[in-house]
Amino acid sequence: MSPYLAAWIFWILMFFAIELPAVFNRQAGDTLSELVWNVFAIRGKPVGWQVRRLALVLGLGWLVAHFLTGGAV
C-alpha cells in the first residue's frame, strides 16, 4: 500500500468519525452539508451571497470536470 493510499483511507475514516456523530446529534450546523450551506449562503441571501454561490458552483464544476475527464482539466 502506498503512503498516499494510506493517507486517503485515513482521511475518509476521519471524515466518517466527524460526520456520523454530527448526523445523529441533531444539532444544527455541524454536518458537512450544513457547513457548506452556511458558508456558501445557500439558505438566505446575506451580504456577498452571489460571490459565495459562484465560488461553490465553479469549484464543484471544476471537480466534476476533473473526474469526468480523467484529470485532463
Side-chain angles (χ1 to χ4, degrees):
M1 178 183 317
S2 76
Y4 284 104
L5 178 57
W8 280 112
I9 290 171
F10 177 74
W11 184 88
I12 291 167
L13 291 174
M14 290 306 299
F15 169 79
F16 283 110
I18 296 167
E19 187 72 6
L20 286 177
V23 167
F24 291 111
N25 73 8
R26 303 279 187 209
Q27 185 175 345
D30 53 0
T31 66
L32 178 61
S33 296
E34 293 166 337
L35 177 68
V36 168
W37 296 333
N38 289 336
V39 169
F40 292 101
I42 301 305
R43 296 179 177 164
K45 294 183 180 178
V47 175
W49 68 273
Q50 292 167 320
V51 174
R52 294 186 214 180
R53 289 185 191 176
L54 179 61
L56 178 62
V57 167
L58 292 175
L60 291 176
W62 172 84
L63 184 61
V64 168
H66 178 72
F67 285 148
L68 292 178
T69 62
V73 176

